[in-house]
Every structure is written in C-alpha cells, then in structure tokens.
Amino acid sequence: MAELPNEARATELRNTVVDQLKDGGWITSPSVEAALRKVPRHLAVPDVPLDDAYSTYNAVVTQQDAEGVHTSSVSAPQIQAMQLEQARIRPGDRVLEIGTNGPNAAYLAELTGPTGEVTTMDIDLAPAARARRFLAEAGYTNVRVVVDDGEYGLPAHAPYDAIVVTVGAWDIPPAWTDQLKEGGRLVVPLRINGLTRTYAFARQGGVLTAESAHVCGFVAMRGDGARNAQEFALPDDPGVTLRFDDGVPVDPQLLVDTLNTERVEIWTGVSVASNEPIGTLQMYVATMLPGYCNMFIDQDETTGKVGPTGLNFSLVAVDGPNLAYVVVRRSEDRKSAEFGVHAFGPDAENSAHRLADAIRTWGKDHRSGPGPRITVYPAGTADEQISGDRVIDKKHRRISISWPPAK
C-alpha cells in the first residue's frame, strides 16, 4: 500500500489517539473529543516524526538545560485530555494557561469558541516563540501569547473562568485565586510531599476545594514559584539519597550510625496485582506519616546495606535517628507483590511497625476508595477553621487532607 501523505497520515494518527483516549476513559466529553481531533499538534514539533508527535502517552521534550533537565515540552495527549476534562471549559469562557508550547492553547481556543478568550503565558522566550509560530500556522490567531512569570498570573485580563497550569507547582500563589472568578476552576499539577497530581480546584471565596485528582508528571515551574526538593546522601551509604520536598525534618547527623544498627524486617500481608495502581498508597503514606520522604538508590554507588527495595524509588519515614522504608517481594508467577518494611535505627522496631500499620490501614480502608479530600486555605488560616486528618503548610497555603474510607 502506498504511504499516505503527511497530512492524511497526521489525521489518521490524531484520530487513533482520540479513539484510544476515549476507550481509556480519559476523554468523556464531546467538546474535548472534537478539539483533540481537530488541532494539528504535529505542527508544533516539525522536527519530530509524526508517530512521536501523536504518541498517546508520551510527551515531546522541546527544551532542556545544560544538566539535561527538561525545561519545556509538549505534553502527551493523555495528560492534555485529562486536564481539559478537569477544566470543564465552556463556550465564551475567559481562560489563562500558565506554561505554553502551542497545542494546548489551541485546544482551549476550540473549547472557548469565537466568543471566548484564551491567554497563554510562559516565563521563557523560546516556548512562547514556538507557541506563536504554531498558533499562527494552525490558524489560531485569536490566542494571546505573553512572556512573564506565571507566579503572578496576568491581572490585565482577569478575572478568568478557568486557569490551567501546565507546569509542576509546589505551591498555589495568591494571584491564581485572586484572578479566578468565584466558582471558577484552577487546574494545576500540585506537588504534595514530592507526589504530583493534577487537581481540579473550585474556588469558593478564598478556599479551593479539589474535585478530582490524577497522577501526572510535568516540567517543574521556574521563576519566583520554583521550589527544589532538598536532598542528602545517607552518611553510611553515599549511594542512597533521601529527597525531602517540604524541608528536612531532622538533623542529617542523627542518621550517621543508623545503617550500622540491625535491620528490622516486617511483611504486611497487603498484596497488589502487578497492574494495580498504587497512587493512593503513595499519597496515604506521604500525607499521614511525619518525616516522609522519597529514597533513591544508585546501584553503582550503594554499599548494599539498604538492599534492593523492588521499587524504582521507595517511600520512607524518618524519625530522628530511625529510618523505615517500603520494600516489595513479588510472587513466583510475578502477578502480584506484597508490601513489606525494612527499618534501621535504635528504635527500628517501632518505626517499622508505624509504617507497616499505615500500609495495612490503606489496604483495609482506602485502596479501593476515591483518594483524599484536599482543601486549600490561605496561609494564616487558623487551625480551628480547618478540618481534616492532616494539614501541610506551604508558603502561601495551608493544605488540608482527609481520608474518607472506601464505601
């Protein structure tokens, strides 16, 4: 069979992507479906093969820094569809996009229609230039492209019916709420204790209430809203790195002799199927255990004291000189895996049991549930005005987290 012309092939691939996203439940509305079928996203990445431009679940990296860190990309269609569904854009809406590369702004323009207004902004000149070129070539001449720091939104064109953030954020600055209409929606990939979810928040006064959340990954925010996690290598094993997202809760010197103590091992009896999502387990441990962090092991540098965890990274709870972390052991047929805990330190036994009990509580009460309820308050809100199982404080916000049991 003769090879199809590029545009015909692009249309075929675009429709295949949409069909896959509908089958997977990521596209649920006719308006989002129509937008993704229409916008020629491949024009934004002209040097990339069509199959890569229309990869359903993979982003196209368009820029990285000298260390190889990705600083700009065109998100995967699955991620874009997910956020567009969360935003619930309607014809006539005024929308601000923070973080740009072109195609997503075009999707927003399709959803708002000729009576709506879309502004897309980026702190970097290069992505903004690429977006302008793409939008002009694709025929979306009514989209405003601005170069500025998204931390402060864009008050000149506020208030917005929706603000869609397409960079990973550690906090929610006041501008994003102040520039949002009452009842408007903020869609943002927010990092809580190192775990990023794209949340759809509805504004009610100064309070944001999450209505949905999905696991995701995004290029990190730059500018005044940037926030890097703090890392340090374990003193007795330079190949093991602990990464704390909200500040190091202990003096690292307390861990100097931790790995020289006897290791405690506990198995929880909680097993998951090989294809079962464990995002709520990660979030439960991250939000309900003080001293939470992530642990990464460099197999070429580690002494082997910690040993393989069976995971790409491990969930960890640090309590003074004690260190407990999650491990897995797979069944003989590789179809399931059981969670366990290893712990070191002078009180390793109790540290291990605390983490194991958290895993068991998740398995009993939350594994089939909807995940946590997230409510975001302004910094300075009094404790008595906040309900929830745990409050995590950031610079601008107090994040309340509660875990309803599965029905």
Side-chain angles (χ1 to χ4, degrees), residues 262-268 305-308 323-329 338-344 348-353 356 360:
E262 184 177 353
R263 189 179 77 186
V264 171
E265 179 177 307
I266 295 175
W267 292 97
T268 64
K305 288 182 178 181
V306 169
L323 175 77
Y325 55 94
V326 177
V327 297
V328 299
R329 59 182 177 189
E338 180 186 2
F339 292 111
V341 175
H342 288 174
F344 291 90
E349 188 79 27
N350 284 328
S351 290
H353 279 291
R360 293 185 183 114

Short mmCIF file of all heavy atoms in Angstrom, two decimals, residues 262-268 305-308 323-329 338-344 348-353 356 360:
data_model
loop_
_atom_site.label_atom_id
_atom_site.label_comp_id
_atom_site.label_asym_id
_atom_site.label_seq_id
_atom_site.Cartn_x
_atom_site.Cartn_y
_atom_site.Cartn_z
N GLU A 262 21.06 -3.11 63.57
CA GLU A 262 20.47 -4.32 62.99
C GLU A 262 19.20 -3.97 62.24
O GLU A 262 18.35 -3.22 62.73
CB GLU A 262 20.16 -5.34 64.08
CG GLU A 262 19.63 -6.66 63.55
CD GLU A 262 19.39 -7.68 64.65
OE1 GLU A 262 19.76 -7.38 65.79
OE2 GLU A 262 18.83 -8.74 64.36
N ARG A 263 19.04 -4.52 61.05
CA ARG A 263 17.86 -4.23 60.24
C ARG A 263 16.66 -5.04 60.73
O ARG A 263 16.76 -6.24 60.98
CB ARG A 263 18.13 -4.56 58.77
CG ARG A 263 17.01 -4.09 57.83
CD ARG A 263 17.32 -4.40 56.39
NE ARG A 263 17.09 -5.80 56.07
CZ ARG A 263 17.39 -6.35 54.90
NH1 ARG A 263 17.95 -5.61 53.96
NH2 ARG A 263 17.14 -7.62 54.68
N VAL A 264 15.52 -4.34 60.84
CA VAL A 264 14.25 -4.97 61.19
C VAL A 264 13.45 -5.15 59.91
O VAL A 264 13.40 -4.26 59.06
CB VAL A 264 13.46 -4.11 62.20
CG1 VAL A 264 12.05 -4.65 62.39
CG2 VAL A 264 14.20 -4.03 63.52
N GLU A 265 12.81 -6.30 59.75
CA GLU A 265 12.02 -6.60 58.56
C GLU A 265 10.62 -7.05 58.97
O GLU A 265 10.47 -7.92 59.82
CB GLU A 265 12.70 -7.69 57.74
CG GLU A 265 11.96 -8.09 56.47
CD GLU A 265 12.73 -9.12 55.66
OE1 GLU A 265 13.91 -8.87 55.35
OE2 GLU A 265 12.14 -10.17 55.36
N ILE A 266 9.60 -6.43 58.37
CA ILE A 266 8.20 -6.78 58.64
C ILE A 266 7.49 -6.92 57.30
O ILE A 266 7.68 -6.09 56.40
CB ILE A 266 7.49 -5.70 59.48
CG1 ILE A 266 8.10 -5.61 60.89
CG2 ILE A 266 5.99 -5.97 59.57
CD1 ILE A 266 7.51 -4.47 61.71
N TRP A 267 6.65 -7.95 57.16
CA TRP A 267 5.81 -8.08 55.97
C TRP A 267 4.37 -7.85 56.38
O TRP A 267 3.92 -8.32 57.42
CB TRP A 267 6.02 -9.44 55.32
CG TRP A 267 7.39 -9.51 54.73
CD1 TRP A 267 8.50 -10.06 55.29
CD2 TRP A 267 7.81 -8.89 53.51
NE1 TRP A 267 9.60 -9.84 54.49
CE2 TRP A 267 9.20 -9.12 53.39
CE3 TRP A 267 7.17 -8.17 52.51
CZ2 TRP A 267 9.95 -8.67 52.31
CZ3 TRP A 267 7.90 -7.71 51.43
CH2 TRP A 267 9.27 -7.96 51.34
N THR A 268 3.65 -7.06 55.55
CA THR A 268 2.35 -6.51 55.96
C THR A 268 1.17 -7.41 55.66
O THR A 268 0.10 -7.22 56.22
CB THR A 268 2.11 -5.16 55.26
OG1 THR A 268 2.02 -5.39 53.84
CG2 THR A 268 3.23 -4.19 55.56
N LYS A 305 23.90 -1.92 51.98
CA LYS A 305 23.31 -2.07 53.31
C LYS A 305 21.78 -1.97 53.26
O LYS A 305 21.08 -2.71 53.94
CB LYS A 305 23.86 -1.00 54.25
CG LYS A 305 25.31 -1.21 54.66
CD LYS A 305 25.76 -0.14 55.64
CE LYS A 305 27.20 -0.39 56.07
NZ LYS A 305 27.67 0.63 57.05
N VAL A 306 21.31 -1.02 52.47
CA VAL A 306 19.86 -0.86 52.35
C VAL A 306 19.27 -2.01 51.55
O VAL A 306 18.22 -2.55 51.87
CB VAL A 306 19.51 0.50 51.72
CG1 VAL A 306 18.04 0.56 51.34
CG2 VAL A 306 19.84 1.62 52.69
N GLY A 307 19.96 -2.42 50.50
CA GLY A 307 19.49 -3.55 49.72
C GLY A 307 18.42 -3.15 48.74
O GLY A 307 17.83 -2.08 48.84
N PRO A 308 18.11 -4.00 47.77
CA PRO A 308 17.08 -3.67 46.78
C PRO A 308 15.71 -3.59 47.43
O PRO A 308 15.37 -4.38 48.31
CB PRO A 308 17.16 -4.84 45.79
CG PRO A 308 17.76 -5.97 46.57
CD PRO A 308 18.69 -5.33 47.55
N LEU A 323 15.10 5.07 60.48
CA LEU A 323 14.76 5.12 59.06
C LEU A 323 13.98 3.86 58.70
O LEU A 323 14.47 2.75 58.88
CB LEU A 323 16.04 5.18 58.23
CG LEU A 323 15.91 5.11 56.70
CD1 LEU A 323 15.45 6.46 56.17
CD2 LEU A 323 17.23 4.72 56.07
N ALA A 324 12.73 4.04 58.23
CA ALA A 324 11.91 2.91 57.79
C ALA A 324 11.49 3.15 56.35
O ALA A 324 11.18 4.28 55.97
CB ALA A 324 10.67 2.76 58.68
N TYR A 325 11.48 2.09 55.53
CA TYR A 325 11.16 2.27 54.12
C TYR A 325 10.43 1.04 53.58
O TYR A 325 10.54 -0.07 54.10
CB TYR A 325 12.41 2.55 53.29
CG TYR A 325 13.52 1.54 53.43
CD1 TYR A 325 13.64 0.47 52.54
CD2 TYR A 325 14.45 1.64 54.46
CE1 TYR A 325 14.66 -0.46 52.67
CE2 TYR A 325 15.48 0.71 54.59
CZ TYR A 325 15.57 -0.34 53.69
OH TYR A 325 16.58 -1.26 53.83
N VAL A 326 9.67 1.27 52.50
CA VAL A 326 8.82 0.24 51.90
C VAL A 326 9.64 -0.61 50.94
O VAL A 326 10.44 -0.10 50.14
CB VAL A 326 7.63 0.88 51.17
CG1 VAL A 326 6.78 -0.19 50.47
CG2 VAL A 326 6.77 1.69 52.13
N VAL A 327 9.42 -1.93 51.01
CA VAL A 327 10.01 -2.88 50.07
C VAL A 327 8.89 -3.77 49.54
O VAL A 327 7.78 -3.80 50.09
CB VAL A 327 11.11 -3.75 50.73
CG1 VAL A 327 12.26 -2.88 51.19
CG2 VAL A 327 10.54 -4.55 51.90
N VAL A 328 9.15 -4.46 48.46
CA VAL A 328 8.16 -5.40 47.92
C VAL A 328 8.84 -6.73 47.61
O VAL A 328 10.04 -6.78 47.32
CB VAL A 328 7.47 -4.87 46.64
CG1 VAL A 328 6.72 -3.59 46.90
CG2 VAL A 328 8.48 -4.68 45.51
N ARG A 329 8.06 -7.80 47.69
CA ARG A 329 8.53 -9.10 47.19
C ARG A 329 7.45 -9.65 46.27
O ARG A 329 6.27 -9.66 46.60
CB ARG A 329 8.82 -10.06 48.34
CG ARG A 329 7.67 -10.37 49.27
CD ARG A 329 8.14 -11.30 50.39
NE ARG A 329 7.07 -11.58 51.35
CZ ARG A 329 7.26 -12.22 52.52
NH1 ARG A 329 8.48 -12.62 52.85
NH2 ARG A 329 6.24 -12.41 53.34
N GLU A 338 3.82 -8.29 47.46
CA GLU A 338 3.45 -7.95 48.84
C GLU A 338 4.34 -6.81 49.34
O GLU A 338 5.54 -6.79 49.07
CB GLU A 338 3.61 -9.16 49.75
CG GLU A 338 3.24 -8.87 51.22
CD GLU A 338 3.54 -10.03 52.16
OE1 GLU A 338 4.08 -11.05 51.68
OE2 GLU A 338 3.25 -9.90 53.37
N PHE A 339 3.74 -5.90 50.07
CA PHE A 339 4.50 -4.81 50.65
C PHE A 339 5.08 -5.21 52.00
O PHE A 339 4.42 -5.87 52.81
CB PHE A 339 3.62 -3.57 50.85
CG PHE A 339 3.17 -2.94 49.57
CD1 PHE A 339 1.85 -3.00 49.18
CD2 PHE A 339 4.08 -2.29 48.74
CE1 PHE A 339 1.43 -2.43 47.99
CE2 PHE A 339 3.68 -1.72 47.55
CZ PHE A 339 2.35 -1.78 47.18
N GLY A 340 6.31 -4.81 52.21
CA GLY A 340 6.96 -5.01 53.49
C GLY A 340 7.68 -3.74 53.91
O GLY A 340 7.66 -2.73 53.21
N VAL A 341 8.31 -3.80 55.08
CA VAL A 341 9.04 -2.65 55.61
C VAL A 341 10.38 -3.12 56.15
O VAL A 341 10.46 -4.13 56.85
CB VAL A 341 8.25 -1.96 56.74
CG1 VAL A 341 9.08 -0.84 57.37
CG2 VAL A 341 6.92 -1.40 56.22
N HIS A 342 11.44 -2.38 55.81
CA HIS A 342 12.75 -2.54 56.44
C HIS A 342 13.00 -1.28 57.26
O HIS A 342 12.59 -0.18 56.87
CB HIS A 342 13.86 -2.68 55.40
CG HIS A 342 13.85 -4.00 54.70
ND1 HIS A 342 14.70 -4.29 53.64
CD2 HIS A 342 13.11 -5.13 54.88
CE1 HIS A 342 14.48 -5.53 53.22
NE2 HIS A 342 13.51 -6.05 53.95
N ALA A 343 13.67 -1.44 58.39
CA ALA A 343 13.96 -0.28 59.23
C ALA A 343 15.31 -0.44 59.90
O ALA A 343 15.74 -1.55 60.23
CB ALA A 343 12.86 -0.10 60.27
N PHE A 344 15.97 0.68 60.10
CA PHE A 344 17.23 0.76 60.83
C PHE A 344 17.09 1.82 61.92
O PHE A 344 16.27 2.74 61.82
CB PHE A 344 18.37 1.17 59.90
CG PHE A 344 18.77 0.15 58.88
CD1 PHE A 344 18.17 0.12 57.63
CD2 PHE A 344 19.74 -0.80 59.17
CE1 PHE A 344 18.55 -0.82 56.68
CE2 PHE A 344 20.12 -1.75 58.23
CZ PHE A 344 19.53 -1.75 56.99
N ALA A 348 14.19 0.93 65.66
CA ALA A 348 13.76 0.45 64.34
C ALA A 348 12.48 -0.36 64.42
O ALA A 348 11.63 -0.28 63.52
CB ALA A 348 14.87 -0.38 63.71
N GLU A 349 12.29 -1.11 65.47
CA GLU A 349 11.10 -1.96 65.60
C GLU A 349 9.83 -1.12 65.55
O GLU A 349 8.90 -1.40 64.78
CB GLU A 349 11.16 -2.74 66.90
CG GLU A 349 10.08 -3.80 67.04
CD GLU A 349 10.36 -5.07 66.27
OE1 GLU A 349 11.54 -5.39 66.04
OE2 GLU A 349 9.38 -5.75 65.87
N ASN A 350 9.78 -0.06 66.37
CA ASN A 350 8.58 0.79 66.38
C ASN A 350 8.43 1.57 65.08
O ASN A 350 7.31 1.76 64.59
CB ASN A 350 8.62 1.74 67.57
CG ASN A 350 8.28 1.05 68.87
OD1 ASN A 350 7.49 0.10 68.89
ND2 ASN A 350 8.88 1.50 69.97
N SER A 351 9.54 2.02 64.51
CA SER A 351 9.47 2.74 63.23
C SER A 351 8.91 1.84 62.13
O SER A 351 8.07 2.26 61.32
CB SER A 351 10.85 3.25 62.83
OG SER A 351 11.26 4.29 63.68
N ALA A 352 9.36 0.59 62.11
CA ALA A 352 8.87 -0.35 61.11
C ALA A 352 7.39 -0.60 61.28
O ALA A 352 6.63 -0.66 60.30
CB ALA A 352 9.65 -1.65 61.20
N HIS A 353 6.95 -0.77 62.53
CA HIS A 353 5.53 -1.05 62.77
C HIS A 353 4.65 0.15 62.39
O HIS A 353 3.53 -0.05 61.88
CB HIS A 353 5.31 -1.44 64.22
CG HIS A 353 5.63 -2.88 64.50
ND1 HIS A 353 4.87 -3.93 64.01
CD2 HIS A 353 6.66 -3.45 65.19
CE1 HIS A 353 5.38 -5.08 64.40
NE2 HIS A 353 6.48 -4.83 65.12
N ALA A 356 4.39 -0.02 58.62
CA ALA A 356 3.60 -1.20 58.23
C ALA A 356 2.13 -1.00 58.56
O ALA A 356 1.25 -1.39 57.77
CB ALA A 356 4.15 -2.44 58.94
N ARG A 360 -1.15 -1.18 56.10
CA ARG A 360 -2.32 -2.03 56.39
C ARG A 360 -3.61 -1.20 56.45
O ARG A 360 -4.67 -1.65 55.99
CB ARG A 360 -2.11 -2.78 57.70
CG ARG A 360 -0.99 -3.82 57.63
CD ARG A 360 -0.90 -4.61 58.92
NE ARG A 360 0.21 -5.56 58.89
CZ ARG A 360 1.28 -5.50 59.67
NH1 ARG A 360 1.38 -4.52 60.58
NH2 ARG A 360 2.24 -6.39 59.58
#
